Amino acid sequence: MDSESTVTTCYRHPKVECHVRCTRCERYICPDCMREAAVGHQCPECVREGARSVRQARTVVGGRVSAVPVVTYVLIVVNVLVYVAELVRPEIVDGFAMVGAGLTGPDGGHYLWADPYPAGYTPEGLVGGEWYRLLTGAFLHLPPTEGTFGVFHVVMNMVALWNLGRLVEPMLGRVHFLVLYLLSALGGSVLVLLIAPQDAVVGASGAIFGVGAAYYVLARRVGLHMGQVNRFMTGLLLWLVLSALVTSWEGHLGGLLAGGAVSLAFAYAPRDGRRTVVQVGACLLLVAVLTAAAVVKVSGLTGGGLPQ
């Protein structure tokens, strides 16, 4: 006696006869539901589930892969907006530039630091408790009619950040890149404080030099052809020497050293469960060292006491 064969239908479309099973869940699927897999076909639900379980791609330092350097663009926008604010209110530069030690006179003018200082004068800068200047100065630039470069100060820095950031940020990831940038800026400001505390310094150059150092470290880490990278570093170091004549070489060198230290910690941390701990620990250690150096310097400038 002949037995009647069982008709199999798609589990998503019960009226459609089919004979192919999903290789993952083994349910029957019709041609409209078939999704090509490494072996056979899968149903839409199994494809979605597989996508959720796929390990997310990471950069060489463990950051999230990002094709668009968003942080670089945001930093450029912030710097440009702050510069526009400077043009509208020039006093912003006096209030937020990196100054280690200075005095504000009764006439509102700015004078060199002296300890003890005359009656009627007030401390200005870090000696006056304005610790925020360690970072805010890195987002300011020279007004159009001042300094050697004027408006070209901000233009050159933003062009450099545009070119370097688009190379380095995708290699690090957004969070790592932002940390690198800020710690490089901090390192530049602290070296200015240690060597030239009475100078008023502005500019993103220290942070950009730190990004340049990271470019070199990461290029070596991933095995890029070093010819072009070495030429870039030669130019950067040459500018560091020449900048001693017209800009704050202390800020440039401090940013370069801090950026190099951070990028080394990021790039060569062990690639296992300890990587994040090592990277965070290295950044915190650098912050602690820079903070201690700044506190000791300010304490020395103020005769052994810290500003309130």
Side-chain angles (χ1 to χ4, degrees):
M1 182 173 67
D2 295 334
S3 60
E4 185 179 351
S5 60
T6 304
V7 176
T8 54
T9 60
C10 175
Y11 82 97
R12 298 177 77 235
H13 304 99
K15 295 183 179 180
V16 179
E17 182 178 351
C18 55
H19 305 281
V20 176
R21 292 176 183 264
C22 169
T23 56
R24 187 167 179 173
C25 67
E26 297 190 344
R27 292 178 292 187
Y28 285 100
I29 48 178
C30 67
D32 288 341
C33 297
M34 291 179 188
R35 303 293 184 267
E36 204 152 330
V39 178
H41 296 83
Q42 292 183 3
C43 65
E45 282 79 0
C46 287
V47 170
R48 284 195 292 270
E49 181 63 30
R52 283 196 294 268
S53 62
V54 171
R55 187 176 180 182
Q56 186 174 21
R58 293 282 176 176
T59 67
V60 67
V61 304
R64 295 195 175 205
V65 173
S66 174
V68 181
V70 173
V71 174
T72 297
Y73 298 155
V74 169
L75 287 170
I76 291 173
V77 169
V78 170
N79 276 276
V80 171
L81 289 177
V82 171
Y83 193 71
V84 172
E86 289 179 40
L87 299 180
V88 176
R89 300 190 63 180
E91 62 271 20
I92 289 176
V93 177
D94 291 334
F96 293 93
M98 171 53 206
V99 177
L103 292 171
T104 302
D107 59 352
H110 304 283
Y111 298 89
L112 295 178
W113 171 251
D115 184 37
Y117 46 85
Y121 289 76
T122 56
E124 178 184 40
L126 272 65
V127 295
E130 299 168 342
W131 295 94
Y132 54 84
R133 290 178 181 264
L134 286 168
L135 282 180
T136 56
F139 292 91
L140 300 169
H141 288 85
L142 292 172
T145 58
E146 293 186 19
T148 305
F149 300 106
V151 71
F152 289 104
H153 186 215
V154 66
V155 172
M156 289 188 297
N157 275 346
M158 293 306 99
V159 169
L161 179 56
W162 169 270
N163 289 320
L164 272 173
R166 290 186 299 161
L167 292 172
V168 176
E169 185 178 340
M171 299 170 75
L172 286 176
R174 293 172 184 172
V175 174
H176 287 77
F177 181 76
L178 181 60
V179 171
L180 166 76
Y181 187 91
L182 294 178
L183 288 182
S184 298
L186 180 62
S189 294
V190 169
L191 197 60
V192 169
L193 169 65
L194 296 179
I195 298 177
Q198 300 198 59
D199 288 353
V201 176
V202 295
S205 304
I208 293 170
F209 266 77
V211 177
Y215 176 48
Y216 179 80
V217 170
L218 293 168
R220 292 189 65 88
R221 177 67 178 82
V222 301
L224 293 182
H225 179 65
M226 295 303 293
Q228 180 178 348
V229 179
N230 289 334
R231 287 193 293 273
F232 164 78
M233 287 305 298
T234 300
L236 193 68
L237 294 176
L238 180 61
W239 173 239
L240 176 62
V241 174
L242 294 176
S243 67
L245 302 174
V246 291
T247 63
S248 171
W249 66 268
E250 302 91 347
H252 294 174
L253 180 59
L256 185 77
L257 294 175
V262 172
S263 54
L264 282 170
F266 284 168
Y268 292 97
R271 301 185 65 180
D272 53 28
R274 298 172 296 163
R275 176 156 63 181
T276 300
V277 174
V278 170
Q279 291 175 344
V280 172
C283 291
L284 291 177
L285 178 61
L286 178 61
V287 170
V289 170
L290 293 175
T291 301
V295 168
V296 170
K297 181 65 176 182
V298 171
S299 177
L301 290 169
T302 54
L306 286 177
Q308 301 298 318

